[in-house]
Amino acid sequence: TGLSRPQRMLKAVQKNATKGDPQSVIAAIDYYCRHKEWAMNVGDDKGPILDSVVSEVNPSTALELGTYCGYSTVRIARLLSPGSKLITVEFNPAYAAVARQIIAHAGLQNKVTLVEGGSGDLIPKIKEQFGITSFDFVFLDHWKDRYLPDIKLLEDCGLLKKGSVLLADNVICPGTPEYLEYVRNSPRYKSQYFQSYLEYTKAEDGLEKSVFLG
Ligand SMILES: O=C(NCCO)c1cc(-c2ccc(F)cc2)cc(O)c1O
Ligand SMILES: [Mg+2]
């Protein structure tokens, strides 16, 4: 059956994007996924909302759950100040292998640590393994039924502090109903919905920004 969809996306990046130029990597992926074959990147409708939240937070420590091919990893890492770190977690080794190469093509490998494994297993180990006390910013884009258990885990592991910002993809499509109900009704979060579109389509989707109140 030849190359996988992520591998075909990687080839498009290697062919069309300039090494060390994150914007050209983003543009190459968006062009490929809009005109050749769809893929589940946060994309160029929701991407600018992600950019604006990352720029506003300007995190020293950031966590991404669900790397996939590294598109949002590149979007986030390109905006980080010198010395800031992004940890990105991916369960699927085939996705992780492609993501490493796309992140490297963008020249952002020194700002990004890609960890392979399940978020539920890795989150409790982050403090000891990376010497991180808390995250300023968390982007949730992995299995939709893991959003809620994983933020509860982040809370319990003391990895969130007053002002930590969570940004969740796909809260409408595919949807994360339990997560939304929790962050919108918990006194520990201040939540805000940013309406947009499912990547490369006209279907509704959006991002939910939730500030941890401590
Ligand atoms: O599952 C997802 N992510 C975790 C992967 O390890 C995911 C799925 C979709 C999507 C898929 C199929 C469809 F029909 C509609 C949406 C979109 C996304 O942005 C996503 O992040
Ligand atoms: Mg997504």
Side-chain angles (χ1 to χ4, degrees):
T1 56
L3 298 180
S4 67
R5 184 181 309 226
Q7 287 171 325
R8 293 193 295 269
M9 193 193 306
L10 170 61
K11 269 186 64 183
V13 166
Q14 292 170 331
K15 179 168 180 276
N16 302 311
T18 307
K19 263 184 169 284
D21 176 1
Q23 192 46 47
S24 74
V25 168
I26 292 164
I29 292 172
D30 285 331
Y31 184 89
Y32 184 78
C33 293
R34 192 171 282 280
H35 300 292
K36 307 291 182 203
E37 55 176 335
W38 187 90
M40 57 183 166
N41 315 116
V42 74
D44 50 7
D45 291 309
K46 292 180 286 181
I49 301 168
L50 169 62
D51 291 356
S52 65
V53 174
V54 172
S55 298
E56 168 203 4
V57 175
N58 187 26
S60 300
T61 56
L63 174 66
E64 175 180 60
L65 301 176
T67 316
Y68 185 43
C69 294
Y71 173 89
S72 49
T73 319
V74 168
R75 287 202 83 113
I76 295 165
R78 86 191 200 284
L79 299 173
L80 294 181
S81 300
S84 298
K85 291 297 289 178
L86 170 61
I87 294 178
T88 184
V89 177
E90 179 51 59
F91 177 76
N92 181 315
Y95 294 170
V98 166
R100 289 187 197 286
Q101 296 174 79
I102 287 179
I103 293 160
H105 198 90
L108 294 167
Q109 65 281 0
N110 295 339
K111 290 176 174 286
V112 176
T113 303
L114 196 163
V115 192
E116 287 184 42
S119 52
D121 300 324
L122 291 169
I123 287 168
K125 298 172 182 166
I126 285 174
K127 280 193 183 227
E128 64 182 319
Q129 281 192 3
F130 301 101
I132 284 174
T133 53
S134 65
F135 287 108
D136 303 315
F137 177 78
V138 182
F139 183 54
L140 297 101
D141 193 21
H142 58 331
W143 288 340
K144 308 316 162 192
D145 62 357
R146 288 295 318 174
Y147 284 25
L148 182 52
D150 283 346
I151 67 161
K152 287 182 172 176
L153 199 48
L154 287 166
E155 288 174 23
D156 296 346
C157 294
L159 282 164
L160 300 181
K161 68 180 179 187
K162 185 172 169 31
S164 290
V165 172
L166 307 178
L167 189 65
D169 190 26
N170 308 118
V171 297
I172 303 300
C173 178
T176 63
E178 298 87 359
Y179 174 82
L180 272 191
E181 200 276 331
Y182 180 79
V183 290
R184 290 178 174 175
N185 296 299
S186 166
R188 304 189 76 183
Y189 292 93
K190 175 74 185 131
S191 254
Q192 180 183 4
Y193 176 59
F194 292 84
Q195 182 170 31
S196 186
Y197 298 93
L198 176 68
E199 48 267 26
Y200 319 114
T201 77
K202 293 184 165 62
E204 182 186 348
D205 190 22
L207 300 170
E208 187 82 2
K209 176 190 172 188
S210 306
V211 182
F212 187 60
L213 302 174

